[in-house]
């Protein structure tokens, strides 16, 4: 179960838009991430590579945790809002729930729930 301090450090890291560093620091070596009901990606290095590719598609990203954060034992639910500024000047606003299972102070499993229609760009 993550301590409240660890959970706050994780959220602060993501909100500072250090997404890759957050994966490196807060995920287990064998961690998995899953988008809705798609097959999970497994392994911290795989997660870092995927995040690197995803972030390269945007000129900038703004990340916000919407409180409260729910924690029950080893499980945490965080509501996130991400705004991606595209290289084309258009913005994408994504709101999602991240359902996490922690092993001690690190995330072992995470599944994201969101509406894929949110990925449609808004006009510049």
């Amino acid at each position: 179960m993550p301590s409240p301090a660890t959970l706050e450090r994780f959220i602060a890291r993501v909100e500072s838009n250090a997404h890759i560093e957050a994966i490196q620091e807060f995920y287990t070596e064998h961690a998995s991430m899953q988008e809705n009901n798609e097959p999970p990606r497994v392994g911290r290095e795989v997660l870092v590579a995927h995040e690197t590719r995803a972030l390269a598609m945007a000129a900038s990203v703004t990340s916000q945790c919407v409180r409260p954060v729910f924690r029950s034992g080893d499980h945490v639910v965080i509501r996130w809002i991400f705004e991606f500024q595209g290289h084309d000047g258009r913005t994408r606003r994504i709101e999602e729930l991240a359902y996490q299972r922690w092993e001690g102070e690190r995330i072992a499993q995470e599944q994201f729930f969101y509406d894929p229609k949110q990925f449609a760009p808004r006009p510049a």
Side-chain angles (χ1 to χ4, degrees), residues 15 18 21 52 69:
E15 287 187 322
E21 295 84 349
T52 300
V69 172

Side-chain angles (χ1 to χ4, degrees), residues 28-65:
T28 65
E29 186 177 333
H30 60 276
S32 68
M33 281 185 184
Q34 183 176 1
E35 310 288 329
N36 289 319
N37 291 318
E38 295 296 317
R41 298 179 297 280
V42 180
R44 187 170 50 220
E45 294 309 314
V46 170
L47 304 181
V48 166
H50 182 273
E51 193 72 12
T52 300
R53 286 190 302 274
L55 292 172
M57 296 187 328
S60 66
V61 180
T62 302
S63 309
Q64 176 190 1
C65 171

Side-chain angles (χ1 to χ4, degrees), residues 36 93-97 112-120:
N36 289 319
R93 183 180 187 274
I94 311 300
E95 186 169 345
E96 71 180 20
L97 292 177
F112 304 109
F113 297 93
Y114 57 85
D115 181 355
K117 291 179 186 175
Q118 296 178 98
F119 283 99

Side-chain angles (χ1 to χ4, degrees), residues 38-110:
E38 295 296 317
R41 298 179 297 280
V42 180
R44 187 170 50 220
E45 294 309 314
V46 170
L47 304 181
V48 166
H50 182 273
E51 193 72 12
T52 300
R53 286 190 302 274
L55 292 172
M57 296 187 328
S60 66
V61 180
T62 302
S63 309
Q64 176 190 1
C65 171
V66 180
R67 306 238 179 215
V69 172
F70 297 97
R71 182 175 64 120
S72 179
D74 292 335
H75 292 89
V76 173
V77 177
I78 303 173
R79 181 178 166 199
W80 293 107
I81 295 176
F82 300 105
E83 286 201 9
F84 297 88
Q85 184 71 35
H87 296 287
D88 60 1
R90 298 204 277 180
T91 300
R92 291 167 177 80
R93 183 180 187 274
I94 311 300
E95 186 169 345
E96 71 180 20
L97 292 177
Y99 178 69
Q100 304 169 333
R101 182 179 60 78
W102 289 65
E103 290 179 356
E105 297 292 303
R106 291 184 176 260
I107 300 165
Q109 185 178 16
E110 186 168 42

